[in-house]
């Protein structure tokens, strides 16, 4: 009963009951007034007729009229002519009502009489006009208004029943509603507790009705999926770090020990320099891992803005062209004027650097003149950044595998690297809702970083309002 649903149901119920009571009372009051006015009008007409008789024929005329009326039966009509002491002279009322005896001027009178019916004596209500004649005689002209009282009783009963039923239905409905609601909330609470207790695979129950609780449950489940994905990623990263950084660290340590043991200055210097190179390589690996983790966590989206992929490609290509020429290779760049996307400029540049690094590093392993192509293609839906080389390429069955962390192909072992380059590019692609595709360049590898193009904003209406706001 403490739930908000129950409270709401109760408030609705109260409002509903109050409205019902108001409508019924108003109807009753209006109908009652109308009926009463009708009764009084007929009595008044009767009074006028009898008063005329009295004016013309005196008491005798009145007695004659009363006799006629009671004999021919005016329906519901009640009459009485009584002497100053109350003795009945004519009419169908059994006696002069006590109230009339106390009233010494003419006016309206309400009283009740007992009548004998087949089912026993009954009390009936009467409304009447009471006239004190000059000589102290009482003349009463009235109507049985029992039907008005019956009407009042019926309305009162309806009111009571309605209120009773509404209350019952309201409380029942409220309890039912809040129980149903509570049951589902309890389901969510139980799942959340279970998850907190470590059963991470548990999910919030969804009923399938598509209502707001279902939507809440679905959102919670999506969130839990995401958290689970992230946690799995983290676990993978940490176990990868543990396994794959052990070897270089051990090597680093061995080299440092060599340096300590080195006989002469020259050897010590060499050993230390190679130690530093190793440490640099390790730092690069760490950086890549951190970048991957950052991209996977979706955190990097905070730094998203408009990036012109064409411009990034031109900039990075400028750095790489001399490196390719150093290898006596050729380099070509095919880039449109602009290729806007929404993303992180630094990460896009890093992805291109990683792809170019690979093209340069592995492209020259084939025994032919190295050639590297960088192109940016624009389509309505996406922008593609392509790096193609004519090296040995990656066999079809390994193209998915090499995107994983620390995966390197056998012939790559001789080249420096940690196997994180492509997995960082793939993470960056995922972060941008894009994809990294590896294809056969016949010969060589063609790496395509596909990114969703920035959607043109709907044309802005430059009306007076925004101009003013701008000022
Ligand atoms: N352009 C390429 N040509 C041939 N093989 C490649 C190319 N790019 C990547 N690979 C293969 O994919 C593996 C993973 O690449 P990457 O993740 O960049 O790691 P790394 O370059 O540090 O080895 C490489 O070791 C290599 O075997
Ligand atoms: Mg690489």
């Amino acid at each position: 009963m403490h739930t908000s649903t129950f409270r709401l149901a109760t408030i609705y119920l109260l409002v509903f009951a109050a409205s019902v009571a108001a409508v019924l009372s108003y109807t009753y009051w209006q109908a009652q007034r109308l009926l009463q006015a009708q009764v009084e009008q007929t009595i008044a007409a009767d009074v006028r007729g009898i008063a005329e008789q009295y004016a013309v024929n005196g008491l005798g005329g009145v007695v004659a009229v009363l006799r006629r009326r009671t004999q021919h039966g005016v329906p519901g009509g009640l009459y009485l002519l009584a002497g100053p002491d109350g003795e009945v002279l004519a009419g169908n009322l059994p006696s002069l009502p006590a109230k009339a005896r106390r009233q010494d001027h003419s006016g309206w009178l309400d009283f009740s009489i007992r009548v004998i019916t087949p089912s026993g004596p009954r009390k009936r209500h009467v409304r009447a006009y009471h006239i004190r004649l000059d000589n102290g005689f009482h003349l009463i002209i009235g109507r049985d208004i029992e039907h008005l009282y019956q009407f009042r009783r019926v309305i009162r009963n309806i009111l009571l029943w309605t209120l009773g039923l509404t209350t019952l239905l309201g409380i029942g409905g409220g309890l039912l509603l809040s129980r149903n609601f509570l049951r589902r909330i309890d389901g969510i609470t139980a799942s959340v507790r279970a998850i907190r207790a470590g059963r991470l695979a548990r999910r919030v129950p969804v009923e399938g009705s598509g209502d707001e609780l279902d939507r809440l449950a679905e959102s919670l489940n999506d969130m839990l999926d995401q958290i689970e994905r992230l946690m799995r990623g983290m676990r993978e990263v940490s176990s990868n770090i543990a396994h794959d950084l052990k070897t270089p660290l051990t090597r680093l340590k061995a080299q440092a020990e060599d340096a300590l043991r080195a006989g002469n200055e020259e050897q010590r210097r060499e050993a230390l320099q190679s130690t530093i190179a190793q440490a640099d390589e390790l730092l690069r690996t760490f950086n890549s891992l951190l970048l991957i983790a950052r991209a996977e966590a979706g955190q990097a989206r905070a730094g998203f803005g408009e990036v012109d992929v064409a411009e990034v490609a031109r900039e990075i290509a400028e750095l790489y062209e001399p490196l390719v020429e150093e290898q006596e290779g050729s380099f070509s760049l095919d880039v449109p004027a602009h290729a806007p996307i929404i993303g992180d400029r630094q990460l896009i540049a890093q992805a291109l650097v990683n792809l170019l690094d690979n093209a340069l590093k592995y492209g020259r392993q084939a025994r032919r003149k190295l050639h590297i192509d960088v192109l940016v293609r624009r389509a309505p839906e996406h922008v593609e950044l392509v790096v193609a080389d004519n090296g040995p390429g990656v066999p079809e069955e390994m193209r998915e595998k090499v995107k994983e962390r620390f995966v390197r192909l056998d012939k790559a072992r001789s080249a420096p690297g940690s196997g994180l380059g492509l997995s960082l590019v793939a993470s960056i692609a995922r972060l941008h809702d894009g994809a990294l595709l590896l294809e056969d360049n016949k010969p060589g590898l063609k790496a395509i970083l596909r990114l969703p193009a920035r959607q043109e904003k709907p044309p802005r209406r430059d009306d007076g309002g925004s101009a003013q706001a701008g000022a």
Side-chain angles (χ1 to χ4, degrees):
M1 285 204 182
H2 290 292
T3 64
S4 50
T5 322
F6 186 77
R7 258 206 307 276
L8 256 181
T10 317
I11 291 171
Y12 272 127
L13 162 79
L14 286 180
V15 172
F16 181 65
S19 330
V20 167
V23 168
L24 276 180
S25 309
Y26 183 72
T27 315
Y28 165 72
W29 178 61
Q30 285 292 339
Q32 164 97 353
R33 246 178 42 150
L34 188 76
L35 290 174
Q36 181 141 339
Q38 261 175 3
V39 168
E40 282 172 7
Q41 267 168 25
T42 49
I43 294 175
D46 225 359
V47 167
R48 268 195 303 279
I50 294 172
E52 266 166 33
Q53 276 296 324
Y54 180 63
V56 178
N57 300 326
L59 273 182
V62 175
V63 169
V65 173
L66 291 198
R67 200 159 287 148
R68 261 207 310 282
R69 297 263 157 107
T70 50
Q71 265 164 16
H72 296 299
V74 175
L78 293 166
Y79 303 93
L80 181 75
L81 178 65
D85 300 326
E87 65 277 23
V88 177
L89 300 178
N92 53 2
L93 275 175
S95 61
L96 185 66
K99 270 186 187 168
R101 225 184 281 264
R102 289 196 296 273
Q103 203 178 43
D104 49 8
H105 54 84
S106 305
W108 288 102
L109 205 60
D110 287 297
F111 57 93
S112 56
I113 52 168
R114 289 183 155 279
V115 291
I116 308 296
T117 62
S119 54
R122 274 275 169 78
K123 202 170 105 174
R124 296 185 77 90
H125 289 88
V126 179
R127 182 153 176 85
Y129 198 73
H130 173 219
I131 304 166
R132 290 304 301 262
L133 300 173
D134 308 333
N135 41 21
F137 280 64
H138 300 269
L139 174 58
I140 288 178
I141 300 154
R143 286 290 182 279
D144 184 328
I145 53 164
E146 195 52 34
H147 60 287
L148 281 186
Y149 278 79
Q150 243 161 22
F151 176 62
R152 185 181 294 176
R153 270 195 298 276
V154 167
I155 293 282
R156 206 177 41 222
N157 283 346
I158 291 180
L159 201 63
L160 287 178
W161 272 103
T162 311
L163 291 185
L165 274 178
T166 337
T167 313
L168 264 175
L169 284 178
I171 292 178
L175 282 176
L176 216 74
L177 270 181
S178 47
R179 246 197 32 199
N180 185 30
F181 193 76
L182 271 185
R183 187 174 50 75
R184 298 179 62 189
I185 295 281
D186 282 348
I188 296 178
T189 315
S191 308
V192 171
R193 288 230 178 91
I195 292 162
R196 265 189 49 196
R199 266 174 287 156
L200 296 183
R202 248 309 265 279
R203 289 295 175 264
V204 177
V206 177
E207 273 200 351
S209 61
D211 61 0
E212 51 275 62
L213 277 182
D214 260 11
R215 286 205 299 275
L216 174 67
E218 273 161 15
S219 310
L220 281 174
N221 286 343
D222 284 350
M223 186 180 78
L224 291 169
D225 287 346
Q226 167 92 349
I227 291 176
E228 206 189 4
R229 246 193 329 271
L230 291 178
M231 295 223 343
R232 202 180 318 120
M234 287 306 205
R235 254 201 314 274
E236 257 169 41
V237 171
S238 25
S239 66
N240 280 340
I241 291 178
H243 284 108
D244 290 73
L245 293 190
K246 228 159 139 188
T247 327
L249 270 176
T250 319
R251 216 178 316 143
L252 188 78
K253 186 172 165 236
Q255 254 163 9
E257 282 165 356
D258 279 354
L260 265 184
R261 276 197 299 272
N264 61 41
E265 190 62 25
E266 186 59 27
Q267 277 173 333
R268 183 172 304 153
R269 195 179 180 77
E270 245 171 48
L272 274 178
Q273 256 164 2
S274 116
T275 312
I276 290 172
Q278 286 271 335
D280 276 344
E281 183 66 24
L282 266 173
L283 277 176
R284 262 196 299 281
T285 307
F286 263 118
N287 269 335
S288 302
L289 280 172
L290 284 178
L291 270 177
I292 293 174
R294 203 161 70 94
E296 297 276 85
Q299 234 173 29
R301 283 212 175 107
F304 270 24
E306 190 179 311
V307 181
D308 188 349
V309 178
E311 192 189 306
V312 174
R314 272 192 293 270
E315 241 167 60
I316 306 286
E318 208 171 296
L319 298 176
Y320 270 82
E321 198 169 356
L323 296 180
V324 179
E325 274 154 16
E326 238 169 60
Q327 308 283 331
E328 270 149 20
S330 60
F331 185 90
S332 84
L333 180 70
D334 182 3
V335 169
H338 296 288
I341 63 153
I342 296 294
D344 185 314
R345 189 174 208 286
Q346 208 199 327
L347 290 180
I348 299 289
Q350 180 70 54
L352 180 53
V353 164
N354 285 9
L355 293 178
L356 277 169
D357 255 349
N358 285 349
L360 199 58
K361 216 162 38 175
Y362 306 115
R364 66 169 186 242
Q365 283 181 343
R367 286 181 218 293
R368 50 182 161 252
K369 190 171 171 289
L370 173 65
H371 181 77
I372 295 179
D373 273 316
V374 172
L375 41 129
V376 173
R377 293 193 290 230
R378 275 184 79 169
E381 292 290 306
H382 46 250
V383 167
E384 284 180 343
L385 178 57
V386 185
V387 176
D389 61 63
N390 59 351
V394 176
E396 169 110 55
E397 67 279 5
M398 290 306 286
R399 287 196 196 130
E400 278 309 308
K401 196 82 187 137
V402 288
K403 292 187 205 166
E404 288 172 16
R405 282 177 208 126
F406 298 112
V407 172
R408 311 191 70 198
L409 300 185
D410 278 340
K411 34 180 196 223
R413 295 288 169 200
S414 56
S418 54
L420 287 172
L422 287 181
S423 77
L424 179 54
V425 180
S427 298
I428 291 171
R430 262 199 304 280
L431 177 72
H432 287 79
D433 293 325
L436 169 64
L437 314 171
L438 298 181
E439 289 175 3
D440 194 350
N441 196 34
K442 292 176 193 162
L445 183 77
K446 186 194 261 183
I448 304 169
L449 177 59
R450 180 177 286 170
L451 302 163
R454 194 202 67 184
Q455 291 306 308
E456 291 300 322
K457 288 195 201 101
R460 236 186 50 213
R461 266 192 299 139
D462 263 333
D463 46 37
S466 68
Q468 266 171 359

